[in-house]
Amino acid sequence: MIARLPRLLVLGTGGTIAGSAQSATGGSYAAGELRLDQLLNDLSGLGLEAELVAKPIAQIGSQDMGWDVWDVLHREILAALNDSQMDGILVTHGTDTAEETAYLLDLTLPADKPVVLVGAMRPAGAVGADGMRNFANAVRVASDPDACGRGPLLVMGDAVFAAKDVRKAATSNIDAFKGYPRGPIARVTPSTLDWFGGATRVGEPARYGWPETPPRVAILTAGAGMDAKPVEALLGIGCKGIVLAGMGQGNAPGCVLDALSEAVKSGVPVVRSARVDEGLVDRNVEVDDDRYGFVAGRALGPAKARVLLMVLIANGITDATAIQAAFDRG
Ligand code: ASP
């Protein structure tokens, strides 16, 4: 029972939620321009029922998100998880790669306090800007003890997604995010929050160690008429793992599969995912994974399959059977 207002650490990384529009009706803007204290100052009149402790980490568009910022983010969140005075963590983040950050944190953090990412599709100053609403919703989620044990969450609009499910599915629509296999796991407004089911990971420790030396893992998108040269190029630059963003159920031309099989033989794990919007990629459907030595990416799309493969390789898990077990779990 919290007798005081929930105390939330707000880690700012930039994105459109910290973007400023050149005009209220024009299309151009720069992501990550507003400082976190400016953003929180704009929010201060909203009557949010939480004490917010601001800590800026970066001011970038999330297309530039990577291990330098992830390292700091992970460290700061871990410290807040161990701080008995902190009840939850909010991360303001660009929407382009929010799913990758959320999933990376999901794999590498214990699930014992709310960790909530929030972004916006429209910059401050644009007519119909969504940042303030999304932030107020995220505060509601991060303040709720029932948000514990669900892993990192992403709040966009009035929807709450689990890290494992969520992905950006539209370039500019205000409701740009979808979940697969699960849609939103809760609906939120600044004053209400309805979970659609209970938390299943209460008390769960971090699943994997933090990648101190992240391996180079590339996504190769399959296209009709392609040849095997891109596979050779990826091996040539020292990729330690390859994620195929295949056609349909993770398919690719035969010559590409053969080249990928050679990669597996040389010790480079290959995961098949799909370039289509959603659906499972299962083992041995059209591609004989057993013969080629591939891993089926199951519910993870290419971006998140790459994150999981990086984490696994960094943790010394390179055997196809063990990698498959991790993808089956998701
Ligand atoms: N490119 C921006 C970013 O990911 C888009 C956004 O935030 O919506 O930072």
Side-chain angles (χ1 to χ4, degrees):
M1 191 69 175
I2 302 171
R4 51 172 172 76
L5 283 181
R7 183 173 296 132
L8 307 178
L9 176 66
V10 185
L11 299 169
T13 72
T16 298
I17 193 167
S20 58
Q22 283 167 11
S23 88
T25 51
S28 311
Y29 74 97
E33 282 224 318
L34 285 183
R35 294 199 343 244
L36 187 60
D37 54 353
Q38 287 172 270
L39 191 68
L40 295 192
N41 194 40
D42 291 347
L43 291 155
S44 61
L46 298 184
L48 299 175
E49 290 172 355
E51 182 192 337
L52 303 179
V53 180
K55 194 155 196 181
I57 285 184
Q59 261 181 271
I60 56 172
S62 72
Q63 53 272 41
D64 289 320
M65 186 57 69
W67 290 100
D68 50 345
V69 180
W70 279 336
D71 263 330
V72 182
L73 201 50
H74 187 261
R75 198 176 331 121
E76 292 291 346
I77 295 176
L78 262 187
L81 293 178
N82 292 322
D83 179 349
S84 60
Q85 296 304 304
M86 214 49 92
D87 301 307
I89 299 104
L90 281 165
V91 180
T92 58
H93 200 293
T95 61
D96 289 355
T97 62
E99 65 204 79
E100 282 151 89
T101 299
Y103 189 49
L104 177 64
L105 297 173
D106 190 64
L107 295 170
T108 55
L109 287 173
D112 52 6
K113 279 184 193 172
V115 176
V116 180
L117 279 75
V118 61
M121 293 302 294
R122 295 176 183 153
V127 64
D130 52 336
M132 296 260 237
R133 168 85 181 198
N134 293 354
F135 193 94
N137 285 347
V139 167
R140 168 68 50 196
V141 175
S143 306
D144 185 1
D146 261 1
C148 300
R150 300 173 188 271
L153 303 166
L154 178 68
V155 171
M156 284 296 291
D158 292 356
V160 184
F161 296 95
K164 185 172 145 183
D165 306 319
V166 71
R167 70 194 167 81
K168 191 174 186 180
T171 55
S172 55
N173 298 355
I174 201 126
D175 56 346
F177 282 78
K178 276 191 184 173
Y180 181 82
R182 289 178 302 174
I185 60 166
R187 282 280 160 197
V188 60
T189 72
S191 56
T192 62
L193 175 55
D194 290 286
W195 297 102
F196 302 152
T200 56
R201 292 166 57 183
V202 176
E204 189 190 272
R207 290 181 171 175
Y208 301 101
W210 180 249
E212 296 300 339
T213 323
R216 185 193 288 272
V217 172
I219 298 172
L220 175 69
T221 302
M226 77 185 289
D227 63 20
K229 292 258 183 261
V231 179
E232 291 160 21
L234 293 180
L235 296 175
I237 58 167
C239 277
K240 299 286 183 264
I242 298 176
V243 172
L244 174 70
M247 307 131 162
Q249 264 236 30
N251 292 319
C255 61
V256 174
L257 296 180
D258 289 341
L260 289 171
S261 180
E262 290 305 314
V264 173
K265 283 183 198 143
S266 72
V268 174
V270 172
V271 175
R272 291 189 307 109
S273 64
R275 68 179 197 183
V276 299
D277 266 6
E278 61 183 39
L280 295 177
V281 172
D282 284 325
R283 285 190 70 78
N284 302 324
V285 177
E286 283 188 80
V287 176
D288 188 342
D289 293 301
D290 291 346
R291 181 164 73 84
Y292 285 115
F294 299 155
V295 172
R298 309 301 310 281
L300 296 182
K304 272 189 270 192
R306 174 173 168 267
V307 169
L308 178 54
L309 188 54
M310 284 192 287
V311 168
L312 293 173
I313 294 171
N315 279 271
I317 300 166
T318 54
D319 164 72
T321 307
I323 296 176
Q324 186 65 67
F327 274 83
D328 289 345
R329 181 184 190 192

